[in-house]
Every structure is written in structure tokens, then in C-alpha cells.
Amino acid sequence: MPLDIGIDLGTATVQVYVGGEIVLSEPSVIAYNNKTGNVVAVGTEAQTMIGRTPSHIVAVRPLEKGVIAEIKSCQKMIKYFVEKTCKNRILRPRVAICIPSEVTEVERQAVVEAADAAGAKSVVTIEEPMAAAIGAGLDVLRPNGNMILDIGGGTADIAVITLGGIAESVSLKIAGNAFDETIVKSVKARHNLIIGSRMAEKVKIGLKNAIENNELLEVKGKNALTGLPEMIKLDPKELRGYFDENFKVIVDSLIAILDKTPPELVADISEQGIWLTGGGALIYGLDKLIEERTGIKTYYPENPDKCVVVGAGKAFEYLGELQDGLVSERKL
């Protein structure tokens, strides 16, 4: 029996699913020697090098805002993760890779070629909204409308799924990384404090707990005027307000998709709710805002940040079932 591997090729994180469990989760970062082209590090090790490398070593994220920015680096990263997962195995694996919904055919082919170079027996590509819906446990094959909002690191994908296809969809460049950028810009503008993306992500993750417990959030960085280290404590409700504009774009887009969706499917969605997946969808307050603006209940599946990779891992179960070319297998 062939080994089946599901890969979520995320802008921020690569996750790998094998045998019913996630066996690997590492940052989507690769470091290479720009003189020789040799890979120096991938994943967690490469992330620690960002901003700290000598001139001949470059650490990059091959995916930016949901698209493949550097095809060759992306290929090397995929090859590394497949080989790491399959080490000491004799049989060639079948690989399912979840790809951003707006990749070009050239980029899609580059992903397939990377899996081929890593020794895959065959490759399936599946787009993020469909993978998220499958991973959330929704029955995507029924003649019933399901609405999914998947927010990863680079994109927010909104889709209405029915009968194994996507009735309406949109992909936005506002997601987890954009939330971090909003925090960085707002803290500097309001408090003259320069912080990095890691601190911004830490603040974003801690926001829910801070608001619920009425606690101030510690923010550490560099004073923009003096250049010296500084730590300030901010009201989490102020930080939550930083996201108003981002939230508005997402919810306005969701409402626009509902407006274009046939009434029968909207009726299904109003009964079954809107499902939120992806790590970015966990940001405090987004679910309640959607409910207020649409009148439709929102739900989180178990482990929403893992739905996409689980859906990729189950993609082989849906071969020939899904429409619109959302899943395709290529024998290698």
C-alpha cells in the first residue's frame, strides 16, 4: 500500500500529514548560499537566520501573500520536506499538496516537479478552500451550500462549496501576516515603538486571553526616537481596534459573496452557519463581527489551524469526485 502524504504549502508554515496525524510543522523559510546555490537550512533552522545571515547567505520565504514568489526556492523546500518525511522508506509516496487558490499553471507545474524530484509516485494538487472544508469535516459532495472562510498567513479565502465544487469564491491578500504588519505599523505610529514581526505575532496570539482576563499586554521593541530598547504595556482593546479596517474588508467581501450566491445555497448557509478555519481566523473578535453583520452563526471546527493540511491528506479519497479541477492527480 503506497504511503500518502498531505502537504499544506502555507505562506507562513508548511505542515505535513501522514497516516492520520500531522508529523511536521515548520516555517516556510529556506536559506541558501547565493554564491553556490546550495541549500543551507530549511524550516525552523532557516527562520532563525532571517536578519542574521552574512552577505553570502540568504534566508527567504518562497511564498508571499498566497503566491509563489520564488519558484526554485519553493521547489527545494518541498523536496526537503518530502524527503524528511519519507526517510528510510522504500515505497515511493503519493503526495497531495495544497496550493494557494491563485497560483498560475506555471507555479502549479513547479510544485508537481518539486514532488517528482523528491521521489513522489504521483501528485495531487488541491486548492486551499476545498482542502479546508474537507479538513473541517464538511460534506463537500452533497447538494448543500457550505461557506468557509480560511485565513492563513498570506491569504483569506472565502468560498461557497456545493456538489464537490465551488459556487462562488474570492481570495484576499489580508491574512495573518497582514494582521502582524498592522500591529507593527500601529504601535510605531501611536507609541513610537519599533517592533519586529515575531513580537507582533506574539501580541496577536495573546490578544484573546488578555481581553478576556482584562490584562495589559507587554510589547517590547526599540524606541523610534532614541534607538534604545523599550517595553510598554498596552490595553488589549486598543490593540483589537487596530484590526477594524482589516476586518471590514474581510466581512464586506464575505457579504459580497453571499450576495452573488443563489438563494437556495444562502438558505443552507443561514441554517448551517459559516465555518472559520486557518490560524488567522482565530484572531479575537472576527467571528462575532461576522455574526453581527450577516446574522449568520459562525463556527470553528476542532483545530481550525490544521484543517487545510488534514484536507490535503484526505485528497486521495476524493479523486474523480470534485469538480472544477480542484483536485487532479498526475502520475510520475
Side-chain angles (χ1 to χ4, degrees), residues 16-331:
V16 180
Y17 179 94
V18 179
E21 63 178 338
I22 297 172
V23 298
L24 183 150
S25 180
E26 294 193 36
S28 305
V29 182
I30 183 168
Y32 62 91
N33 186 314
N34 60 14
K35 293 182 179 179
T36 66
N38 295 333
V39 175
V40 176
V42 180
T44 302
E45 185 181 355
Q47 185 182 45
T48 64
M49 297 180 179
I50 294 178
R52 299 185 175 96
T53 61
S55 59
H56 67 286
I57 302 295
V58 180
V60 299
R61 293 186 179 275
L63 291 95
E64 293 181 5
K65 297 184 177 180
V67 297
I68 298 174
E70 295 194 15
I71 290 179
K72 289 185 178 179
S73 294
C74 187
Q75 287 181 315
K76 291 177 181 179
M77 188 173 69
I78 293 170
K79 185 174 185 292
Y80 170 84
F81 285 123
V82 172
E83 290 177 344
K84 184 174 182 178
T85 304
C86 297
K87 61 182 178 182
N88 302 323
R89 294 184 182 270
I90 299 175
L91 296 177
R92 296 171 67 196
R94 298 194 301 179
V95 179
I97 302 180
C98 182
I99 57 175
S101 57
E102 294 188 346
V103 298
T104 65
E105 183 55 35
V106 171
E107 292 171 328
R108 186 188 295 265
Q109 183 59 32
V111 168
V112 172
E113 290 173 359
D116 180 20
K121 179 180 180 181
S122 65
V123 181
V124 159
T125 55
I126 179 169
E127 295 182 13
E128 287 178 357
M130 184 62 76
I134 293 171
L138 303 182
D139 188 345
V140 299
L141 300 179
R142 287 180 58 207
N144 201 53
N146 292 297
M147 189 170 212
I148 194 117
L149 167 58
D150 178 65
I151 305 181
T155 61
D157 289 293
I158 305 167
V160 175
I161 296 171
T162 183
L163 284 171
I166 294 179
E168 296 289 346
S169 68
V170 67
S171 184
L172 309 173
K173 304 301 183 186
I174 296 176
N177 292 347
F179 296 153
D180 294 343
E181 292 170 9
T182 295
I183 294 173
V184 170
K185 292 177 181 178
S186 299
V187 169
K188 182 180 180 182
R190 300 188 186 194
H191 300 280
N192 286 319
L193 186 69
I194 301 173
I195 64 173
S197 57
R198 289 189 186 181
M199 175 55 63
E201 184 177 22
K202 182 178 179 181
V203 169
K204 178 182 66 180
I205 293 171
L207 186 60
K208 182 177 186 294
N209 185 66
I211 290 178
E212 291 178 347
N213 293 289
N214 196 29
E215 298 174 347
L216 297 178
L217 271 168
E218 287 189 356
V219 183
K220 299 177 182 178
K222 179 175 72 172
N223 187 289
L225 301 177
T226 66
L228 298 175
E230 185 177 354
M231 186 276 287
I232 61 176
K233 292 187 177 183
L234 297 182
D235 183 339
K237 293 181 180 178
E238 174 193 332
L239 288 163
R240 159 62 189 82
Y242 294 171
F243 304 115
D244 286 346
E245 185 175 341
N246 290 339
F247 282 6
K248 184 178 185 302
V249 173
I250 292 172
V251 179
D252 285 351
S253 298
L254 188 147
I255 291 173
I257 289 295
L258 284 171
D259 185 52
K260 294 193 294 183
T261 300
E264 292 83 1
L265 296 180
V266 172
D268 294 337
I269 294 166
S270 66
E271 291 180 5
Q272 298 175 81
I274 298 169
W275 289 85
L276 276 58
T277 63
L282 294 169
I283 190 166
Y284 186 84
L286 179 58
D287 56 339
K288 298 305 177 187
L289 180 61
I290 291 173
E291 290 183 356
E292 290 172 7
R293 293 279 309 278
T294 66
I296 302 173
K297 288 287 292 181
T298 59
Y299 299 99
Y300 289 102
E302 185 178 0
N303 300 318
D305 56 328
K306 298 176 174 60
C307 287
V308 171
V309 71
V310 171
K314 294 181 177 180
F316 286 100
E317 300 173 19
Y318 291 83
L319 290 177
E321 299 280 359
L322 301 182
Q323 303 172 22
D324 304 328
L326 295 170
V327 171
S328 56
E329 183 178 23
R330 305 190 188 188
K331 303 285 186 180

Side-chain angles (χ1 to χ4, degrees), residues 1-22:
M1 183 175 180
L3 175 70
D4 290 344
I5 301 174
I7 301 176
D8 173 15
L9 194 62
T11 301
T13 306
V14 172
Q15 294 182 312
V16 180
Y17 179 94
V18 179
E21 63 178 338
I22 297 172

